Amino acid sequence: MKKMMIALVAMVMMVMSVNAQSYSNYNSTTFERMSSYLELRVDQVEPMRTAMAQFSTSMEAFYQLKDASKGGEAWEKIQARHKATVKKILNEQQYDKYVKMFDLTVKNTGERIMEQQTASR
């Protein structure tokens, strides 16, 4: 049993290491695709990059949240703040596209997490 736990910890550490190395490349590719989809103007790129970085930081803090009872409320605040920031940057059509994309991503991520939790039981 002890050997299995050590092997599991080693596997998780290797996966985290690989993910950390590819994370910045993934973010860059994802941002480029999103920029293309939203047809961002040159003056919108950096503000959107900043908004996405702020959202990422907020999400990291959210995942560190110890009190699960405040999770839903914190998540709603993070989403509302992010959408308000993005709305200031994008025009109406771009914002509508972004909200659809964002909401779909949130929905898919939630379903994937639920599937993983169900499979691990």
Side-chain angles (χ1 to χ4, degrees):
M1 180 72 162
K2 194 174 188 179
K3 289 181 181 180
M4 191 163 66
M5 290 301 290
I6 292 171
L8 180 63
V9 169
M11 183 178 72
V12 168
M13 295 301 285
M14 287 187 295
V15 169
M16 288 174 61
S17 174
V18 169
N19 285 342
Q21 292 171 358
S22 64
Y23 184 71
S24 64
N25 188 37
Y26 168 79
N27 273 346
S28 178
T29 302
T30 302
F31 186 80
E32 293 304 320
R33 288 179 180 169
M34 182 193 70
S35 297
S36 176
Y37 173 70
L38 296 175
E39 300 173 7
L40 294 182
R41 296 185 318 263
V42 173
D43 63 320
Q44 293 174 314
V45 172
E46 283 309 310
M48 275 302 288
R49 195 178 305 274
T50 301
M52 297 304 292
Q54 289 170 342
F55 179 71
S56 179
T57 301
S58 296
M59 289 306 299
E60 288 173 17
F62 174 74
Y63 287 126
Q64 300 300 319
L65 192 64
K66 301 288 185 216
D67 187 358
S69 66
K70 295 181 181 179
E73 182 181 319
W75 173 241
E76 294 298 325
K77 286 181 181 179
I78 290 169
Q79 282 189 71
R81 185 174 51 237
H82 178 66
K83 287 180 179 180
T85 300
V86 169
K87 190 170 188 166
K88 293 176 186 175
I89 299 168
L90 303 176
N91 66 36
E92 191 174 329
Q93 289 100 357
Q94 290 171 320
Y95 181 72
D96 289 343
K97 282 175 145 181
Y98 182 78
V99 168
K100 288 176 187 174
M101 180 182 64
F102 181 83
D103 290 344
L104 182 62
T105 301
V106 168
K107 178 181 174 275
N108 290 342
T109 301
E111 289 175 359
R112 190 170 44 247
I113 289 171
M114 293 300 288
E115 287 173 3
Q116 289 173 348
Q117 289 176 346
T118 303
S120 68
R121 290 182 187 171

